[in-house]
Amino acid sequence: MNRTEIKLVNGDNAVIVDDGKIKILKSENYNFLFQKSDGFFARWGKTQDDDGEFELGLPEIADIEIAEVCEGVPGIGPCAFCYKSNTGNKGENMSFDTFKKIFEKLPPTITQIAFGCGTLRKHPEMWDIFKYAKDNGVTPNLTINGDVDDHEFDKIAELCGACAVSIYDKNLSYDAIKKLTDRGMTQVNIHFMISQETYKRAFEIMEDIKTDPRLSKLKAIVFLSLKTKGRSKNRFHQLTQDQFTNLTNYALDNNVPMGFDSCSAQKFMKAIKGHKNEEQFLQSAEPCESTLYSMYVDVRGDFFPCSFSPDTEGWKTGISVLNCNNFLEDVWFNERTRNFSNKVINCRNCNQSCAIYEI
């Protein structure tokens, strides 16, 4: 069992205990529990002052980009709505050595890392990175497009807590889901970007979840709200609230397991207004937590609030994690980061989905 003490910004002492199955943080005002076997997470305590301007939270989840090269799906190519505009022609890989240096800078409050991997076989040290994270108590997760070979399926099942499969080529993706669940993975989701242009297909996929045996052990379909950045700009358009509500109601009425990114939480909370299980559902709705409980590091080792924030106002450049002396002091409680967190808190208080984009 690992036991670590850490001092919070308000002077409170926090204790982090990791027994290999559960990671727990305990302090006077901020606590969490993460169960590694199924991803269950709970947070409780007093996390901000009466004015909503002071956050005690620490990074619990990190989104770390380790590869930029993405060839997309065979016969289709890179995603038409990729917000990073990745291609198979150029891009960097984060080396294993660089990842270890970044990992050692991060606080022990990190429970999971969502890895941005691009085309898996293009990163020669990816599995070393995943194993290092897992061996050091942090659960690796990733998203794939289905273009994965049997060796890679074996490694995902061995090393990852959760895997999301994006749906571009239906049979390729559905087969991938079955191959992962057949290997014993219980946290396999569909990731699907919702927009005016993909709205109809979202219902088709939910119909398939009800009828296609390859999806019988799927955990959920997770709806990802559109951010008009990269290749999606001027080509894809956000759903209305009524459309999002229709998706939600269809899933609930047809017992289709569904989830959503934090960017969609405000729309979900409006969609379930008046539902008999509204209070229960609200417990699963986490609005934007960037710089409150989550963070992003790009392939060059620079910190940003989230993966959508680079090149936006206040974040034309990131804050170097590689070159910082103390992550909490130099990065997490940096004035730029705290300014953004105050914007996020204000968005939460005003039922606004995002401090950067219209969702």
Side-chain angles (χ1 to χ4, degrees):
M1 179 180 293
N2 293 323
R3 186 179 188 277
T4 308
E5 293 187 7
I6 189 170
K7 189 173 288 293
L8 304 180
V9 69
N10 69 336
D12 284 355
N13 289 317
V15 176
I16 302 154
V17 178
D18 186 342
D19 69 358
K21 296 180 179 179
I22 295 175
K23 178 177 277 193
I24 299 173
L25 180 144
K26 298 179 180 179
S27 73
E28 183 178 355
N29 295 310
Y30 168 51
N31 309 270
F32 71 65
L33 179 150
F34 173 64
Q35 191 163 283
K36 298 182 182 183
S37 61
D38 59 6
F40 174 81
F41 184 91
R43 183 192 310 116
W44 66 96
K46 182 179 179 182
T47 55
Q48 64 189 53
D49 69 7
D50 293 337
D51 296 327
E53 295 180 350
F54 180 71
E55 259 298 329
L56 295 180
L58 294 175
E60 301 160 351
I61 298 177
D63 181 354
I64 300 182
E65 177 187 48
I66 60 171
E68 292 181 308
V69 174
C70 184
E71 296 174 334
V73 179
I76 298 175
C79 303
F81 47 79
C82 178
Y83 66 94
K84 292 183 65 63
S85 298
N86 284 346
T87 70
N89 300 321
K90 61 180 180 179
E92 297 183 34
N93 283 338
M94 179 186 289
S95 71
F96 183 27
D97 183 60
T98 297
F99 174 77
K100 287 189 288 186
K101 291 177 181 177
I102 290 171
F103 189 92
E104 294 305 315
K105 301 271 188 176
L106 299 179
T109 53
I110 298 292
T111 61
Q112 304 176 73
I113 294 176
F115 283 101
C117 301
T119 299
L120 303 191
R121 63 191 66 93
K122 293 292 184 177
H123 195 308
E125 298 179 296
M126 189 182 77
W127 305 121
D128 294 326
I129 289 173
F130 279 34
K131 186 175 187 303
Y132 184 85
K134 185 174 183 178
D135 287 348
N136 284 276
V138 176
T139 301
N141 302 318
L142 81 163
T143 301
I144 61 174
N145 60 23
D147 181 25
V148 179
D149 64 31
D150 283 341
H151 168 71
E152 291 162 342
F153 281 123
D154 289 341
K155 298 303 288 186
I156 292 170
E158 173 192 349
L159 297 172
C160 295
C163 181
V165 182
S166 298
I167 309 297
Y168 305 111
D169 179 296
K170 173 178 170 176
N171 286 323
L172 187 71
S173 296
Y174 288 7
D175 287 346
I177 291 167
K178 186 175 188 304
K179 289 177 181 178
L180 290 169
T181 56
D182 282 352
R183 284 166 167 79
M185 290 195 74
T186 59
Q187 306 298 312
V188 180
N189 297 311
I190 286 172
H191 271 187
F192 190 76
M193 192 281 290
I194 48 174
S195 66
Q196 295 287 340
E197 291 73 18
T198 62
Y199 180 60
K200 180 180 177 182
R201 195 174 185 196
F203 287 98
E204 294 171 352
I205 294 171
M206 286 194 284
E207 275 295 309
D208 289 341
I209 292 172
K210 293 162 54 181
T211 59
D212 195 310
R214 293 173 292 182
L215 308 181
S216 62
K217 296 180 181 179
L218 181 79
K219 182 70 174 178
I221 180 170
V222 178
F223 295 125
L224 310 178
S225 284
L226 169 72
K227 274 68 93 181
T228 51
K229 182 179 182 180
R231 283 198 291 268
S232 69
K233 195 171 184 179
N234 300 321
R235 299 175 65 184
F236 292 82
H237 305 83
Q238 287 94 349
L239 290 187
T240 65
Q241 178 61 53
D242 284 346
Q243 289 172 318
F244 189 94
T245 299
N246 288 340
L247 283 177
T248 302
N249 287 338
Y250 183 90
L252 294 176
D253 292 344
N254 288 274
N255 295 315
V256 175
M258 69 161 290
F260 45 87
D261 56 1
S262 61
C263 317
S264 309
Q266 299 288 1
K267 278 188 170 178
F268 176 77
M269 289 189 283
K270 293 175 184 176
I272 59 170
K273 199 73 174 175
H275 192 280
K276 63 179 181 179
N277 296 322
E278 178 181 358
E279 289 303 315
Q280 175 188 341
F281 293 153
L282 286 175
Q283 297 301 311
S284 301
E286 171 85 292
C288 178
E289 75 287 348
S290 296
T291 66
L292 304 183
Y293 309 112
S294 69
M295 53 173 280
Y296 168 68
V297 178
D298 72 9
V299 73
R300 285 161 285 280
D302 290 334
F303 167 96
F304 293 87
C306 72
S307 61
F308 302 99
S309 61
D311 300 320
T312 62
E313 182 180 356
W315 292 95
K316 299 298 181 183
T317 60
I319 304 171
S320 177
V321 177
L322 281 172
N323 297 324
C324 75
N325 294 316
N326 181 298
F327 178 85
L328 291 182
E329 293 179 3
D330 300 338
V331 180
W332 190 250
F333 292 112
N334 183 288
E335 183 178 4
R336 289 171 65 193
T337 308
R338 291 306 98 206
N339 285 342
F340 191 89
S341 72
N342 287 335
K343 291 179 182 179
V344 172
I345 292 169
N346 289 336
C347 286
R348 285 182 165 214
N349 291 338
C350 297
N351 299 319
Q352 181 180 335
S353 295
C354 180
I356 303 173
Y357 298 95
E358 180 183 348
I359 302 296

